[in-house]
Amino acid sequence: MKKLLKLMYFAPILLLVPTRANAMHIMEGFLPVEWAIFWWVLALPFIILGIRSISKTIKEHPETKMMLGLSGAFAFVLSALKIPSVTGSCSHPTGVGLGTVLFGPLAMSVIGSIVLLFQALLLAHGGLTTLGANAFSMAVVGPIIAWYVFKGAQKVGWSFSVAVFLAAMLGDLGTYVMTSFQLALAFPAESGGIVASFSKFASIFAFTQIPLAISEGLLTVVIMNFLRKYNVAELNALHMFKKNKEVA
């Protein structure tokens, strides 16, 4: 019975993970070396702070380890789904909204970077030289946008589900705005320079990324509502809700 349950759990993941590697985040060797180093330098401070954030959370609330793993698995599966888009890159969900809402953007910088590293090593999805650039867009910028959108939506009184949806959707879109900017900096157009190149990359991404972002937002709401129902203690430990308004 246990073997059957494990098979039922992992089968959907195995079906979702792509077997081909002809489309990627920003693929191995695609960026000039100076830009690859530049994005590594920008991403590393966030990853270091993220490690401290995760260590503090686990030390104070060890019961949240399972949800931390869930956040990583969610990001891994969703960001492994890919649709060829801009040359040298692709469109896909990012899956960072869930972990950001639960643990904050610094923790997600580590989780997202680990996800990207495993995808580069195991799926040829992305690359090691471009890991800094991919991490900065998907594991740093996307979560920061998602976090402030989530907090802002709550502050103006919108429902929890709406706040989660907007955070996941706009965090996804923010990642691709950043990726478009990264590609534009590395490959400015002969006519119009960086601005023209950015407009081209962003417009191509938009065809596939906008519906993907909406879908990711809806899926993240479904997962969060499930956690609100079955993981009450963990959510309260993470201070997901204001005092006197804890999950009941």
Side-chain angles (χ1 to χ4, degrees):
M1 185 62 181
K2 289 184 178 179
K3 290 183 178 180
L4 178 61
L5 290 174
K6 288 181 179 180
L7 179 61
M8 291 174 64
Y9 178 79
F10 286 108
I13 297 178
L14 293 174
L15 290 173
L16 286 172
V17 173
T19 56
R20 298 180 63 189
N22 58 345
M24 310 186 181
H25 297 279
I26 297 178
M27 67 183 182
E28 180 67 55
F30 192 74
L31 290 178
V33 63
E34 62 272 19
W35 284 112
I37 294 172
F38 175 78
W39 295 115
W40 262 114
V41 170
L42 287 188
L44 278 175
F46 292 95
I47 295 173
I48 293 170
L49 292 174
I51 292 172
R52 293 179 180 177
S53 176
I54 290 176
S55 298
K56 181 180 178 182
T57 299
I58 292 178
K59 184 178 180 180
E60 294 177 354
H61 305 289
E63 68 274 18
T64 61
K65 289 180 181 178
M66 186 67 71
M67 296 184 69
L68 192 67
L70 171 65
S71 300
F74 186 75
F76 182 89
V77 172
L78 286 194
S79 60
L81 304 172
K82 55 200 179 187
I83 300 173
S85 184
V86 175
T87 300
S89 187
C90 69
S91 286
H92 55 76
T94 64
V96 299
L98 180 67
T100 300
V101 170
L102 291 173
F103 294 97
L106 289 178
M108 203 61 216
S109 68
V110 178
I111 298 171
S113 297
I114 293 173
V115 165
L116 288 165
L117 175 61
F118 274 94
Q119 288 180 349
L121 293 175
L122 301 178
L123 305 177
H125 188 192
L128 296 179
T129 61
T130 56
L131 182 59
N134 290 327
F136 190 78
S137 61
M138 192 183 101
V140 175
V141 173
I144 288 175
I145 292 172
W147 179 253
Y148 282 104
V149 168
F150 176 68
K151 290 299 182 180
Q154 286 191 312
K155 189 173 182 179
V156 299
W158 290 349
S159 71
F160 181 78
S161 293
V162 170
V164 170
F165 170 77
L166 291 175
M169 181 185 71
L170 295 178
D172 180 303
L173 291 177
T175 294
Y176 282 91
V177 170
M178 188 67 232
T179 300
S180 298
F181 182 62
Q182 290 173 320
L183 292 172
L185 285 175
F187 306 103
E190 293 184 5
S191 177
I194 294 173
V195 174
S197 184
F198 173 80
S199 298
K200 180 185 71 174
F201 287 133
S203 61
I204 295 173
F205 271 134
F207 284 109
T208 50
Q209 203 58 41
I210 290 176
L212 283 175
I214 294 172
S215 299
E216 179 177 342
L218 294 172
L219 179 59
T220 305
V221 170
V222 171
I223 300 298
M224 279 303 307
N225 285 336
F226 179 87
L227 294 177
R228 291 182 73 187
K229 185 175 181 179
Y230 296 104
N231 295 80
V232 177
E234 291 87 347
L235 291 180
N236 286 331
L238 291 171
H239 306 292
M240 286 292 301
F241 301 89
K242 296 178 181 179
K243 292 181 179 180
N244 302 323
K245 290 187 178 180
E246 293 185 334
V247 185

